[in-house]
Amino acid sequence: MSVLIVGGAGYIGSHAVDWFCENNYEVVVVDNLSTGHKDAINKKAKFYEGDLRDKSFMRRVFDNEVIDGVIHFAAFSIVPESMKKPLDYYDNNVYGMNVLLEIMNEYSVKNIVFSSTAATYGEPKQIPIKETDPQVPTNPYGETKLAMEKMMHWADTAYGIKFVALRYFNVGGAKPDGSIGEDHNPETHLTPIVLDVAHGTRNELTIFGNDYDTTDGTNVRDYVHVMDLAEAHRLAFEYLKAGNDSNAFNLGSSTGFSNLQIVEAARKVTGKEIPTKIGPRRPGDPSTLIADSTKARTVLNWKPKYDNVEKIIQDAWTWETKNPSGYGDK
Ligand code: UFG
């Protein structure tokens, strides 16, 4: 019996593949390599290159393998890009989920763990954010992820496919040995950009807005280490295998860091100056996102091991210094 990890060549997916392999699961990966990297996939996993939306390809995978459950990472995930190309997000994310649930139903695979996001909440009404808070996204990325959560809900009602939606906050870090890490092209996320500046591959960081209603005027985010996320997926998979009901969990540290505080922490870790300038606000950015992740800690028994923003930056820095051009394939 194998766990199928769709999108297992991406940043978070590849860390989950690695973690499942290290914990002796049989792992099958599907990825179209549109944004992922073949070299990021642990060699113990069996890899099928192809697109989730291609039903005949997906049927081939399900025909060849005995799939116990699915972990779904294959989605576009960049907030500003989604503002410019909303329909691409509906096609890849929403239609991709449609096909996946259809094929799972055809093959009677009844468990799915899904990468959802804090972006489904939009501008929060209260901080920290609880799973029961209103989900009103402020960008197409969040809208598509919310639609995907709802599709799973109705697929559960109709076909009995159980799901766990893991709503991540801001993910950072890398496998501590620096063998896999974050490599997006183009890079839009704060921590890798800050470290590119520290490394000298970029001249400076532009901070998008300093007139938000926060302590220093810059956006506040809640950072979670990618290895802790990987373990949360394993726990969620086991939770479903134990016959539990569908559920949603926030994954964060419950502590907020402003963009300026992240730059300060990166200066401390790297010992580099990291020049910054202030630019205009980026469309679609909520002011503050901080998770209440008590539920994941109590129900899934999730115990983050790297719950510390300097550790997150340190591990990302190890990856960055060992692999200044990332995987070097794009
Ligand atoms: N930022 C800058 N300059 C940059 C890049 C980012 O100031 O060059 C700022 C952004 O404006 C934001 C913060 O850094 O205030 C974090 O931005 P990221 O792009 O790193 O991350 P987001 O918060 O936009 O989004 C991430 C994930 C989403 C997820 C969200 C949840 O990409 O998938 O976190 O908080 F939904």
Side-chain angles (χ1 to χ4, degrees):
M1 296 283 261
S2 297
V3 46
L4 171 63
I5 303 192
V6 190
Y11 167 46
I12 304 171
S14 61
H15 285 79
V17 169
D18 189 78
W19 186 243
F20 274 77
C21 288
E22 282 197 4
N23 283 279
N24 301 317
Y25 290 79
E26 297 281 321
V27 178
V28 173
V29 173
V30 160
D31 200 297
N32 65 6
L33 300 183
S34 67
T35 58
H37 309 272
K38 200 170 175 187
D39 287 346
I41 304 169
N42 186 302
K43 298 284 174 287
K44 286 189 201 147
K46 191 162 169 190
F47 175 47
Y48 289 85
E49 182 177 345
D51 196 299
L52 165 62
R53 292 162 295 182
D54 177 348
K55 288 187 194 172
S56 53
F57 161 71
M58 289 302 285
R59 287 196 182 100
R60 263 201 319 278
V61 176
F62 278 73
D63 279 336
N64 282 353
E65 307 292 339
V66 182
I67 306 290
D68 199 13
V70 177
I71 317 237
H72 180 20
F73 294 98
F76 291 153
S77 65
I78 298 171
V79 172
E81 181 185 62
S82 79
M83 299 291 281
K84 292 196 185 114
K85 300 179 183 170
L87 299 182
D88 289 8
Y89 274 65
Y90 278 86
D91 179 29
N92 194 42
N93 296 2
V94 177
Y95 181 62
M97 178 64 98
N98 203 99
V99 171
L100 184 57
L101 291 171
E102 203 177 312
I103 305 281
M104 285 176 67
N105 187 40
E106 252 176 64
Y107 287 80
S108 296
V109 175
K110 297 291 185 191
N111 296 324
I112 176 168
V113 178
F114 169 58
S115 307
S116 189
T117 169
T120 60
Y121 294 111
E123 191 66 63
K125 296 280 169 300
Q126 58 168 19
I127 296 290
I129 301 169
K130 288 197 165 59
E131 288 84 353
T132 46
D133 285 355
Q135 290 177 289
V136 189
T138 54
N139 53 60
Y141 165 60
E143 287 285 5
T144 58
K145 288 268 170 150
L146 180 57
M148 293 160 89
E149 284 197 8
K150 291 192 170 164
M151 289 164 84
M152 292 189 300
H153 166 75
W154 294 114
D156 179 3
T157 309
Y159 317 124
I161 296 175
K162 299 290 169 203
F163 69 92
V164 167
L166 296 175
R167 297 182 189 146
Y168 320 152
F169 284 62
N170 287 56
V171 187
K175 189 175 181 185
D177 68 4
S179 59
I180 51 175
E182 186 163 11
D183 178 10
H184 296 114
N185 189 11
E187 188 53 77
T188 64
H189 293 108
L190 181 65
T191 51
I193 290 178
V194 167
L195 295 180
D196 282 348
V197 178
H199 198 254
T201 42
R202 279 174 205 255
N203 295 333
E204 64 180 358
L205 167 76
T206 302
I207 293 185
F208 299 137
N210 66 349
D211 58 350
Y212 286 94
D213 185 16
T214 60
T215 45
D216 61 23
T218 65
N219 285 157
V220 171
R221 295 288 183 270
D222 178 339
Y223 290 82
V224 56
H225 196 293
V226 67
M227 295 304 298
D228 285 330
L229 275 197
E231 169 64 356
H233 286 79
R234 197 190 66 77
L235 292 169
F237 184 71
E238 290 301 331
Y239 165 94
L240 288 174
K241 277 191 21 180
N244 289 297
D245 238 329
S246 295
N247 217 331
F249 300 95
N250 287 340
L251 298 179
S253 68
S254 308
T255 311
F257 289 88
S258 74
N259 295 341
L260 282 173
Q261 286 173 324
I262 291 294
V263 176
E264 265 320 308
R267 286 183 178 133
K268 201 166 150 197
V269 168
T270 64
K272 307 283 181 183
E273 191 197 339
I274 314 183
T276 60
K277 69 170 187 198
I278 304 296
R281 287 184 177 201
R282 189 175 68 174
D285 273 343
S287 165
T288 299
L289 293 173
I290 302 173
D292 180 336
S293 50
T294 315
K295 188 175 163 192
R297 289 162 206 254
T298 50
V299 178
L300 294 178
N301 202 21
W302 183 52
K303 296 192 181 84
K305 280 203 294 199
Y306 309 100
D307 206 351
N308 168 334
V309 84
E310 281 178 19
K311 173 67 177 158
I312 290 173
I313 292 172
Q314 178 60 63
D315 288 343
W317 183 236
T318 303
W319 156 256
E320 166 95 23
T321 46
K322 281 193 171 179
N323 309 273
S325 320
Y327 293 99
D329 57 351
K330 297 211 188 255

